[in-house]
């Protein structure tokens, strides 16, 4: 999402996407023959581009469902030149578990949240600068027998320049962390706990060249 790698893309065992649809501008799916500019991903890529925030006026909207709520706020920092966008979601699904007859399920906990924010600056027609931050967290606790949680967190900053009518450059830096933790105490003699972290830091330089109306050449490095 905005060049920020997210390694676990679902909430609540796959019932919810990890990305709030309120902030999505466009997306592409590559199920095979992944383009080289995605860094040699082996299986597939779901590339998401977010909206840049309203540069004209302030807007806000929210929604409430049976298990989660969401809200989005956006508006100009300097009209026509810069904007911000903030969006968040959170669950409150424990009331469903509390209705169950099984005491182990009734004593369980299921929770997730995600947050995204961006700042966008366009001082003139040739330059634009964007900062994006994303964070999500999931936890499922089955009574006192097992605890399962994971979290994504990171940010990206990009600077796009129209060098000439035919050549555009975009330089992006990303910092991302994915953490997973699992504890199982269902059998004391076999109880275990393990945790791992995956850190991803990257700088990308991408160029688009239009030598004619019928051709486009993309090149870059990371």
């Amino acid at each position: 999402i905005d060049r920020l790698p997210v390694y676990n893309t679902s909430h609540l065992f796959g019932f919810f996407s990890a990305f709030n649809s309120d902030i999505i501008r466009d997306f592409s799916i590559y199920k095979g023959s992944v383009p080289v500019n995605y860094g040699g991903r082996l299986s597939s890529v779901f590339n998401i581009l977010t909206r840049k925030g309203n540069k004209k006026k302030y807007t806000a909207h929210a929604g409430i469902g049976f298990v989660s709520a969401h809200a989005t706020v956006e508006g100009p920092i300097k009209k026509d030149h810069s904007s911000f966008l903030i969006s968040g979601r959170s669950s409150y699904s424990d009331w469903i578990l509390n209705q169950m007859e099984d005491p182990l399920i009734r004593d369980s906990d299921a929770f997730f949240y995600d947050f995204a924010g961006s700042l966008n600056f366009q001082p003139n027609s040739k330059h634009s600068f964007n900062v994006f931050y994303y964070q999500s967290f999931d936890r499922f606790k089955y009574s006192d027998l097992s605890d399962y949680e994971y979290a994504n967190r990171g940010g990206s900053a990009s600077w796009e320049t129209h060098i000439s009518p035919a050549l555009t450059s975009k330089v992006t830096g990303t910092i991302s962390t994915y953490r997973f933790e699992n504890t199982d105490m269902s059998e004391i003699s076999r109880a275990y706990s393990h945790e791992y972290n995956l850190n991803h830091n990257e700088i990308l330089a991408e160029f688009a060249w239009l030598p004619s109306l019928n051709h486009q050449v993309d090149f870059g490095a990371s």
Side-chain angles (χ1 to χ4, degrees):
I1 180 167
D2 281 7
R3 275 300 191 178
L4 179 69
V6 178
Y7 293 95
N8 200 324
T9 59
S10 64
H11 288 310
L12 213 62
F13 309 108
F15 286 103
F16 293 87
S17 168
F19 309 111
N20 189 347
S21 60
D22 292 342
I23 66 172
I24 295 176
R25 173 171 58 90
D26 195 10
F27 64 87
S28 305
I29 301 174
Y30 300 93
K31 298 181 68 176
S33 300
V34 179
V36 67
N37 55 307
Y38 291 107
R41 305 301 199 270
L42 293 179
S43 56
S44 61
V45 170
F46 184 31
N47 182 42
I48 298 175
L49 301 177
T50 63
R51 297 191 296 108
K52 302 305 180 186
N54 196 322
K55 294 180 181 179
K56 299 290 187 180
K57 61 180 181 179
Y58 296 98
T59 63
H61 59 275
I64 298 177
F66 286 106
V67 297
S68 67
H70 63 90
T72 301
V73 180
E74 60 183 302
I77 300 174
K78 182 179 180 181
K79 192 173 182 180
D80 296 326
H81 292 286
S82 57
S83 65
F84 72 93
L85 187 148
I86 299 173
S87 179
R89 290 187 301 171
S90 180
S91 68
Y92 40 84
S93 54
D94 286 356
W95 69 270
I96 298 178
L97 299 177
N98 292 336
Q99 308 301 315
M100 301 299 175
E101 295 183 1
D102 189 324
L104 293 178
I105 297 180
R106 196 164 57 240
D107 194 34
S108 299
D109 177 35
F111 173 76
F112 74 83
Y113 77 83
D114 59 65
F115 171 84
S118 67
L119 298 173
N120 310 279
F121 304 92
Q122 188 173 8
N124 52 54
S125 60
K126 288 189 175 183
H127 300 278
S128 62
F129 184 72
N130 177 69
V131 178
F132 176 76
Y133 178 81
Y134 174 82
Q135 180 172 330
S136 69
F137 175 81
D138 278 78
R139 184 188 184 193
F140 177 72
K141 179 177 175 288
Y142 181 54
S143 188
D144 293 326
L145 301 180
S146 66
D147 197 339
Y148 174 87
E149 64 180 57
Y150 58 88
N152 297 282
R153 184 176 72 251
S156 66
S158 62
W159 178 27
E160 186 171 352
T161 305
H162 295 279
I163 301 173
S164 70
L167 182 63
T168 301
S169 70
K170 186 175 184 179
V171 179
T172 305
T174 64
I175 298 175
S176 173
T177 298
Y178 173 67
R179 181 182 64 82
F180 171 87
E181 184 176 354
N182 178 223
T183 301
D184 191 321
M185 295 177 291
S186 56
E187 295 183 45
I188 297 301
S189 61
R190 299 183 180 181
Y192 68 87
S193 176
H194 70 95
E195 177 184 352
Y196 65 79
N197 291 275
L198 176 62
N199 298 313
H200 183 114
N201 304 313
E202 188 174 13
I203 296 177
L204 305 100
E206 301 169 286
F207 298 86
W209 177 42
L210 299 170
S212 68
L213 293 176
N214 298 322
H215 298 280
Q216 176 172 325
V217 179
D218 295 323
F219 58 98
S222 67

